[in-house]
Amino acid sequence: MILAIESSCDETAVAVIRRNQGKPGLLTSLISSQIEIHREFGGVVPEVACRNHAQRIRPLVQQALDEAGVTLDDIDAFAATRGPGLASSLLVGLAYAKGLAAASNKPFFGINHMEGHLLSPFLDLGRIPPHLGLIVSGGHTMLIDVQGYGDYRLIGHTIDDAAGEAFDKVGRMLQLPYPGGPEIEKHARSGNPKAFAFPRAVLKDAPFNFSFSGLKTAVLYQLQKLADPQDHLADICASFQAAVIDALLKKTIKAARENGHSLITLSGGVACNRALQDALIRAAGSNGMKVQPSPSSLTTDNAGMIAFAALLASENREPDDLGIGIDPNLPLAPA
Ligand code: KG4
Ligand code: ZN
């Protein structure tokens, strides 16, 4: 049984996982979100996030144990996200989990946040089949060739803004509340995706890399041309969202085909977007491929995905030394 902590950004999260008759099961996965606090500032303020993690972590660990119906004595190992993320936020969760491990003389596993996202679609299955992983979050956009647990090759990434970051920045231009992603999806439902022809970046030298900053600027210029942008809110949202989805789909399908994968996963906060999920499932289907999206409870930041990655780590490698520190830029895989 493993207790895992996630605190890389603005969600404090704790989960308890156990493998039972071969299948992993989450006994509990709690998220104490700070979104309301950061909304006032239009984005995450690291110092505020860090202070809130520090205040929330102890009661949240206790609540997780209570809800799982276990005590600290029942936990066999502790885990925490060690990167990538905000340094001051990562420090709180990592230090707390290492403290629990040190006090009980039990193993500790430091986990890569992106590996948590990447593996989350397979929590129910309990093992990692070969696939092409698309991770779309607030900080990252990545295409990864996965042969199995621990065998990852980065084949594409964003060269500027992440997909979720583009949603959040365009949301801010449109004066929508933070985070922009879910707000844009909501308004896009009643808009025309063809109303505005926003660009889809083509990167000739690196066909699997993404770029969303040109799209963001195109939206800004369009807004400046409109007498009252709020009159066109739904159409702008729909056209922007369509451009992001288009850019993600083409490269994902091509990457899957070129790497011999018939299974594609979709994870990270932007994977919540139904229009993206539906479009990817349709595009994959017409290419004879299947899509395994991350379950909705494991898409935006959570500790369930960190617990699952830690469970696999405990079954496949040695624990980490307690001297291990955070790494805000921890890479997931070699290119
Ligand atoms: O994975 P996540 O919770 O945090 C990071 O690791 O970054 O992702 C958060 C991102 C935010 O940028 C948010 O706007 C985006 O996911 N997001 C969405 C949707 N729900 C969350 N983007 C588009 N459509 C959504 N429905
Ligand atoms: Zn994340």
Side-chain angles (χ1 to χ4, degrees), residues 6 8-11 113-114 117 136-140 163-168 178-186 241 267-274 299-302 305:
E6 153 65 34
S8 66
C9 190
D10 60 346
E11 322 278 16
H113 180 82
M114 302 317 292
H117 278 304
V136 273
S137 73
H140 295 82
E165 191 179 357
F167 270 97
D168 295 341
Y178 169 84
E183 295 289 326
I184 289 179
E185 176 173 23
K186 198 169 70 192
Q241 180 174 277
S267 63
V270 185
C272 289
N273 189 289
R274 284 298 317 184
T299 41
T300 49
D301 287 348
N302 65 89
M305 67 183 193

Side-chain angles (χ1 to χ4, degrees), residues 114-123 127-128 131 146 148-150 152 267 305 308-309 312:
M114 302 317 292
E115 186 181 35
H117 278 304
L118 179 67
L119 305 183
S120 63
F122 298 114
L123 195 146
R127 59 183 175 80
I128 311 301
H131 67 275
V146 179
Y149 171 75
Y152 318 130
S267 63
M305 67 183 193
F308 178 49
L312 294 175

Side-chain angles (χ1 to χ4, degrees), residues 210-286:
F210 302 96
S211 166
F212 293 109
S213 74
L215 169 59
K216 180 187 64 187
T217 309
V219 175
L220 181 66
Y221 288 164
Q222 187 56 250
L223 293 181
Q224 288 167 349
K225 278 191 227 155
L226 296 168
D228 188 355
Q230 292 302 321
D231 287 346
H232 304 271
L233 186 59
D235 284 349
I236 292 167
C237 288
S239 302
F240 163 76
Q241 180 174 277
V244 175
I245 292 174
D246 239 27
L248 292 172
L249 286 200
K250 287 209 180 82
K251 295 181 186 192
T252 304
I253 299 291
K254 190 160 182 271
R257 195 184 307 117
E258 288 192 11
N259 287 278
H261 289 299
S262 56
L263 178 62
I264 298 171
T265 60
L266 177 63
S267 63
V270 185
C272 289
N273 189 289
R274 284 298 317 184
L276 170 60
Q277 278 196 25
D278 292 346
L280 183 59
I281 290 168
R282 259 199 315 275
S286 55

Side-chain angles (χ1 to χ4, degrees), residues 15-50:
V16 179
I17 199 168
R18 173 175 62 182
R19 200 184 274 280
N20 197 1
Q21 294 176 340
K23 293 273 178 205
L26 283 172
L27 277 66
T28 187
S29 179
L30 302 178
I31 302 173
S32 173
S33 177
Q34 303 177 16
I35 282 187
E36 292 303 329
I37 296 170
H38 296 281
R39 186 164 284 157
E40 185 186 331
F41 307 102
V44 179
V45 183
E47 151 67 15
V48 174
C50 165

